[in-house]
Amino acid sequence: MGNSLLLLKRVVYIGCLVLFVFTKALASEVENYNDHAKGWYWHGILADEKKEEHEKEEIVNDPTLQMNAVRATVERALNKAILFPTKENVKDYITLQNLLAQNAEKFEKNWKAVLLNHAELDYSLTHPTNNIAKQIEYNQETLKENAVIQELAKTSGLFFFYRSSCPYCVRFAPIVKDFAETYGISIVPITTDGVALPEFPDSLKDRGQAAKFQVTMEPALFAVNPYTQKAFPVAYGLISAADLRKRLLAIATQYGGHVQ
């Protein structure tokens, strides 16, 4: 009986010892697991923080991203102020607008300062915007265009086909005559019905010229080089003196000053 009691005590002691060791080991494993999980958790936070810092650095170093961020901030503040028009929200939006206005003023001020120190960058010097300078530019351009048309007149003339009963021909005749006299362009008027208009009393009667030029309607105006016998249509129907000028300038530019 005494031996049995002693054996039982030894079994209980060994069991308690095993349980203690197992519990200790389990606690250690749990602690290790928690530390491991904690490590992964903090690693994720640090990674997110580094990513956020990198994105901020990109924005700071990229003016385009900065401007996009500013626009987004202003738009967000405006939307918030409209949807929730509290005094604080409206104040925030006005504050942002004022900051942008101040930057705009600085930009404009520095723009003017740069142009004063670097006149070659001033676009308005070569393309005037004020009325006086624009008028001078227009006059200079007109002189150049006149020279181009006068150069065209040295090698080419105008063939003017008309019909005396055509109201458009009657209206176009003085325009063509005045234009030709202004720029010194020779003109050959040809009447398709045999009746001359007052502006061109010495007009030629059509003797196949209209068919040669394939005239199907009047008035018709052609630029002709008598040396090469080349012709280029200038106008069919009634056009203004300004349009006539533009078309002859186009011809002069396209054909290097004359109809080849």
Side-chain angles (χ1 to χ4, degrees):
M1 184 69 170
N3 291 336
S4 297
L5 182 60
L6 180 61
L7 181 61
L8 180 60
K9 288 182 178 180
R10 288 180 177 179
V11 171
V12 171
Y13 173 77
I14 293 172
C16 290
L17 182 61
V18 172
L19 180 61
F20 172 79
V21 172
F22 176 77
T23 304
K24 188 71 175 179
L26 181 61
S28 178
E29 287 296 321
V30 171
E31 183 177 358
N32 290 336
Y33 174 80
N34 288 337
D35 288 341
H36 182 68
K38 181 178 179 181
W40 278 107
Y41 174 72
W42 283 106
H43 175 74
I45 292 179
L46 291 175
D48 290 342
E49 288 180 349
K50 288 181 179 179
K51 182 180 179 182
E52 186 177 349
E53 288 177 1
H54 178 68
E55 291 176 349
K56 287 181 179 179
E57 287 179 2
E58 284 187 338
I59 293 176
V60 170
N61 296 326
D62 190 333
T64 301
L65 293 178
Q66 288 184 45
M67 182 56 72
N68 291 338
V70 169
R71 289 197 184 101
T73 301
V74 173
E75 184 178 3
R76 190 181 302 110
L78 174 61
N79 293 339
K80 186 177 180 181
I82 292 175
L83 293 175
F84 310 102
T86 64
K87 291 181 180 179
E88 190 64 27
N89 290 343
V90 173
K91 176 186 174 183
D92 289 343
Y93 175 69
I94 293 175
T95 301
L96 288 174
Q97 284 288 65
N98 288 343
L99 289 174
L100 289 178
Q102 290 174 8
N103 266 21
E105 288 178 3
K106 291 179 181 178
F107 174 80
E108 183 180 3
K109 180 180 178 181
N110 287 328
W111 177 289
K112 293 178 179 179
V114 169
L115 292 182
L116 286 175
N117 293 314
H118 301 277
E120 73 278 5
L121 298 178
D122 194 344
Y123 184 82
S124 65
L125 293 180
T126 53
H127 299 80
T129 55
N130 67 76
N131 292 334
I132 297 176
K134 286 180 70 175
Q135 184 60 47
I136 294 175
E137 181 186 35
Y138 173 78
N139 292 340
Q140 293 296 317
E141 191 66 27
T142 298
L143 290 175
K144 291 179 182 178
E145 291 176 352
N146 289 348
V148 171
I149 296 177
Q150 289 167 356
E151 187 66 24
L152 176 68
K154 293 179 181 179
T155 57
S156 304
L158 297 175
F159 271 41
F160 177 47
F161 293 90
Y162 69 87
R163 181 166 37 88
S164 63
S165 60
C166 165
Y168 302 105
C169 299
V170 173
R171 182 66 186 87
F172 195 30
I175 294 175
V176 174
K177 181 180 180 181
D178 291 344
F179 190 90
E181 291 177 349
T182 299
Y183 295 100
I185 303 177
S186 61
I187 182 169
V188 178
I190 302 174
T191 171
T192 58
D193 62 359
V195 180
L197 289 174
E199 290 80 10
F200 303 107
D202 299 327
S203 296
L204 299 178
K205 292 183 179 180
D206 178 27
R207 302 195 183 279
Q209 297 96 324
K212 182 179 179 180
F213 281 84
Q214 299 180 349
V215 175
T216 57
M217 63 175 295
E218 300 93 352
L221 189 66
F222 295 84
V224 180
N225 186 324
Y227 306 104
T228 62
Q229 297 296 307
K230 297 293 183 178
F232 194 90
V234 178
Y236 288 104
L238 174 62
I239 63 173
S240 67
D243 287 336
L244 178 55
R245 175 187 171 85
K246 290 178 182 178
R247 295 188 184 186
L248 282 176
L249 281 171
I251 292 173
T253 302
Q254 182 177 357
Y255 291 93
H258 62 280
V259 178
Q260 299 177 352

